[in-house]
Amino acid sequence: MKKLMIILFLATLGMNAQDRKFEKIKAHKTAFITEKVNLTSAQAEKFWPIYNKHEQEVMALRKTQLEGFKTLRNKNVDDLSEAKAKAMLLKHGQVKAQLTKKMVQLISLLEGVITPQQTIKLLMAEEGFKKRLLKRFRGRNQNRKDKP
């Protein structure tokens, strides 16, 4: 019983740490976008609910996209049947199309909330944040490889 309690505690602790890490990244992204897009407080009040809803929908779509490929983790792609490979590619294309549709929808929803120039700055800020995050991640991994 004690072992079970310890395992549950450690699992919960691990999940909380992962949630905190995600929340920390989200806070950095929010600050980064706010700075790069130059949102006024009035704009931010309207912008963030729209953007956060968009982000939730995009994350759900990306999760769906990744789940299809997770099944291949321990398998060789060459072992897939042609029908299964075609089905996976079709699903992948559908998700990509939905992601594009979501981006067009976001741009439309932001009309009147922020200027078109700010919308372009938003798109650029998103890409900049991704690059910054990847650079940090690569740096951490490189540091771990260098340590004995």
Side-chain angles (χ1 to χ4, degrees), residues 17 21 25 133-148:
K21 205 177 281 186
I25 291 170
L133 199 60
L134 282 170
K135 190 174 182 180
R136 274 187 161 175
F137 182 72
R138 287 181 185 144
R140 282 187 185 162
N141 282 343
Q142 189 63 37
N143 289 342
R144 288 181 184 158
K145 288 178 184 176
D146 292 344
K147 292 180 182 178

Side-chain angles (χ1 to χ4, degrees), residues 70-85:
K70 279 184 182 178
T71 59
L72 291 176
R73 239 182 228 174
N74 298 325
K75 296 179 183 176
N76 188 347
V77 176
D78 294 328
D79 294 339
L80 280 178
S81 70
E82 191 168 322
K84 179 75 173 171

Side-chain angles (χ1 to χ4, degrees), residues 14-70:
M15 283 188 272
N16 287 337
Q18 191 173 11
D19 288 345
R20 283 192 301 267
K21 205 177 281 186
F22 180 74
E23 289 301 318
K24 191 175 178 182
I25 291 170
K26 189 173 179 178
H28 283 292
K29 184 176 182 179
T30 300
F32 188 83
I33 288 173
T34 300
E35 178 189 335
K36 296 293 182 186
V37 178
N38 290 330
L39 293 173
T40 66
S41 57
Q43 287 174 322
E45 194 175 305
K46 295 175 183 174
F47 170 83
W48 286 111
I50 294 168
Y51 186 80
N52 289 334
K53 183 178 181 206
H54 165 78
E55 281 290 289
Q56 287 175 340
E57 292 169 353
V58 166
M59 291 293 282
L61 282 170
R62 287 192 177 131
K63 187 176 181 180
T64 301
Q65 188 178 31
L66 289 174
E67 285 172 357
F69 289 107
K70 279 184 182 178

